Amino acid sequence: MGWAHHYRRRDALDAVLSDARRDPSAPLIVDPDVFGSLHELLLALDHRWQNKLTARMENAGLNGPVDEDRVIAELAAEEPVLRAVLDAHLSLSSYRTVGMTP
């Protein structure tokens, strides 16, 4: 993936989250030029969440034991639309089906 493709994916994810601010449970609009399916879009959104969460957990670990629930809650408070979209569109069984973790 080149930089142009990276920025197109980032912009497409940002657009999805911007649209979802009104109603995170509404059907997501998939840009077919960027994502091949809704499944691929949800994987990309989950990847964004996991990257942010991993960075937060690692940073919190620099100061001793990590309160994982607190770190997750803080990230969810800072990224409410991302968290709401994932929660609305991925049931627990869906997470397991596509290899994601809630």
Side-chain angles (χ1 to χ4, degrees):
M1 172 186 335
W3 284 110
H5 186 67
H6 167 79
Y7 290 122
R8 284 183 65 203
R9 287 176 62 91
R10 182 202 60 193
D11 293 345
L13 291 175
D14 290 345
V16 166
L17 294 174
S18 179
D19 289 343
R21 282 190 178 105
R22 291 181 287 278
D23 180 5
S25 63
L28 302 176
I29 298 170
V30 179
D31 181 342
D33 293 330
V34 181
F35 299 104
S37 66
L38 176 61
H39 173 83
E40 189 179 329
L41 170 62
L42 290 170
L43 283 172
L45 288 168
D46 184 66
H47 182 72
R48 179 178 279 193
W49 173 264
Q50 294 298 332
N51 280 345
K52 289 175 180 276
L53 183 58
T54 298
R56 299 255 180 157
M57 291 289 188
E58 289 176 358
N59 189 44
L62 296 174
N63 300 319
V66 176
D67 180 348
E68 293 179 8
D69 292 333
R70 181 185 57 78
V71 173
I72 291 168
E74 288 174 356
L75 180 57
E78 290 181 25
E79 294 287 344
V81 178
L82 176 57
R83 184 70 260 156
V85 167
L86 291 172
D87 290 344
H89 292 276
L90 296 172
S91 67
L92 290 178
S93 62
S94 295
Y95 276 112
R96 286 189 283 279
T97 301
V98 298
M100 298 180 198
T101 56

